[in-house]
């Protein structure tokens, strides 16, 4: 599998996930920048935005629990009283959208993402690769609250390199960085991906709040839910990312849909 290359020249970040395809990620754009273009939905690409964590791999993989443990351990290491650790971690999640955002704002030396033993938890997922590869849409884009390095690690381990045209991620070094479910984060993703009209945006995420915001701004949204019957978020609800072809069949042929569903039972 080709290695990921990171090049930085003249303040430009170029990320190549696949040497053969030479797909380059553009810089992220400033939060809240307006989109000023004069094209119609029929003259721009449709974009499918994929969340990464707890979406491209199952929530029961255990990564979320390991991350929580790392965050709580960090709090203990910096001297926060043990009886306050869990409540502080939860408060950061509620106040800032994700706990690591609170860590960066209040404890700038915190390192959590890079300490996760991802290689011991995740593995390649060939059915997922084939499902995404067979998706018939102009652009496939990663849209994550994770940092760049963590996101690239996950994509590499899952065997999904070379499938995406770009990625919008969180830069934890930015003061007051934006993240889902803030509307500015969705606007940034649209501009990064070169799409103006919300009607050309498709999105899958495990977070109800993120799916709800996507729906608010006019994206077609799919919720990867713990229990789809109980979820009323988004246009569609599924339990596994491999079920995407069943709710958006216009993007897959019957053979690809059948293969994706078979992949659920092969794991």
């Amino acid at each position: 599998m080709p290695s990921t290359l990171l090049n930085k020249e003249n303040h430009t970040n170029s990320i190549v996930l696949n040497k053969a395809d030479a797909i380059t990620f553009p810089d992220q754009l400033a939060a809240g920048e307006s989109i000023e273009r004069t094209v119609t939905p029929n003259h721009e690409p449709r974009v499918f935005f994929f969340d990464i964590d707890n979406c491209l791999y199952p929530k029961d993989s255990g990564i979320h629990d390991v991350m929580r443990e790392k965050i709580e351990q960090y709090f203990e290491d910096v001297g926060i009283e043990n009886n306050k650790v869990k409540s502080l971690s939860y408060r950061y999640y509620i106040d800032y959208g994700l706990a690591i955002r609170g860590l960066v704002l209040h404890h700038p030396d915190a390192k959590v993402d890079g300490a996760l033993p991802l290689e011991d938890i995740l593995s390649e997922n060939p059915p997922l690769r084939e499902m995404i590869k067979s998706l018939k849409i102009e652009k496939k884009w990663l849209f994550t609250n994770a940092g760049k390095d963590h996101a690239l690690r996950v994509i590499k381990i899952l065997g999904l390199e070379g499938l995406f045209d770009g990625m919008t991620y969180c830069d934890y070094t930015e003061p007051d960085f934006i993240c889902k479910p803030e509307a500015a984060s969705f606007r940034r993703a649209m501009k990064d991906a070169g799409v103006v009209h919300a009607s050309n945006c498709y999105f899958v995420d495990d977070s109800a709040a993120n799916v709800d915001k996507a729906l608010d701004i006019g994206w077609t949204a799919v919720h990867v839910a713990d229990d789809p019957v109980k979820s009323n978020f988004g246009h569609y609800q599924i339990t596994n990312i491999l079920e995407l072809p069943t709710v958006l069949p216009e993007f897959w042929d019957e053979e690809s849909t059948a293969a994706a569903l078979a992949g659920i039972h092969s794991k």
Side-chain angles (χ1 to χ4, degrees):
M1 183 175 296
S3 60
T4 299
L5 304 179
L6 302 181
N7 301 314
K8 187 169 184 180
E9 266 183 46
N10 300 324
H11 307 289
T12 298
N13 295 323
S14 296
I15 303 174
V16 180
L17 289 184
N18 188 303
K19 291 180 181 179
D21 296 337
I23 297 173
T24 301
F25 286 15
D27 287 339
Q28 288 195 128
L29 302 157
E33 284 188 4
S34 62
I35 300 172
E36 298 178 355
R37 298 184 185 178
T38 56
V39 297
T40 65
N42 291 331
H43 293 164
E44 69 178 9
R46 296 169 301 171
V47 182
F48 208 116
F49 294 91
F50 290 84
D51 177 44
I52 296 179
D53 290 305
N54 297 324
C55 183
L56 292 183
Y57 59 81
K59 186 175 295 185
D60 62 11
S61 66
I63 288 179
H64 179 78
D65 294 333
V66 175
M67 177 173 282
R68 186 186 65 250
E69 291 171 3
K70 294 287 185 183
I71 290 173
E72 292 177 357
Q73 184 61 54
Y74 175 80
F75 285 148
E76 293 178 6
D77 291 345
V78 297
I80 295 174
E81 296 177 26
N82 187 62
N83 62 342
K84 296 180 180 179
V85 167
K86 291 186 182 298
S87 61
L88 187 59
S89 178
Y90 180 74
R91 196 191 83 202
Y92 281 0
Y93 178 80
I94 295 299
D95 290 350
Y96 302 111
L98 66 167
I100 200 167
R101 190 182 192 197
L103 279 177
V104 172
L105 288 173
H106 299 288
H107 312 277
D109 293 328
K111 301 292 183 183
V112 176
D113 270 358
L116 296 175
L118 299 178
E119 289 80 3
D120 297 334
I121 301 174
L122 300 177
S123 60
E124 288 192 16
N125 188 338
L128 177 60
R129 179 176 180 83
E130 289 307 311
M131 187 271 285
I132 295 174
K133 185 177 180 180
S134 62
L135 169 59
K136 300 173 184 175
I137 200 166
E138 288 75 33
K139 282 190 176 181
K140 304 166 190 178
W141 203 268
L142 295 164
F143 182 21
T144 178
N145 275 348
K148 178 179 65 177
D149 292 342
H150 170 83
L152 291 176
R153 283 179 68 199
V154 172
I155 294 305
K156 181 177 182 179
I157 295 168
L158 292 177
L160 305 180
E161 289 182 301
L163 296 182
F164 300 96
D165 296 287
M167 175 172 67
T168 297
Y169 55 90
C170 284
D171 183 351
Y172 299 150
T173 65
E174 290 181 357
D176 299 324
F177 66 88
I178 62 171
C179 63
K180 295 178 291 184
E182 296 169 357
S185 180
F186 286 81
R187 291 195 295 270
R188 167 178 282 182
M190 289 179 70
K191 195 165 186 182
D192 288 350
V195 59
V196 174
H197 297 84
S199 59
N200 283 330
C201 297
Y202 298 80
F203 178 60
V204 61
D205 198 304
D206 68 288
S207 165
N210 296 345
V211 169
D212 208 26
K213 179 58 65 176
L215 192 66
D216 284 346
I217 63 179
W219 290 19
T220 297
V222 181
H223 185 205
V224 179
D226 293 334
D227 186 346
V229 176
K230 296 180 180 179
S231 170
N232 60 352
F233 297 96
H235 295 92
Y236 309 101
Q237 300 80 35
I238 58 179
T239 57
N240 189 300
I241 188 73
L242 290 172
E243 296 173 21
L244 266 182
T246 67
V247 295
L248 293 170
E250 63 268 33
F251 293 120
W252 284 272
D253 58 33
E254 291 184 6
E255 183 178 354
S256 297
T257 299
L261 294 178
I264 296 175
H265 304 294
S266 68
K267 295 298 287 183

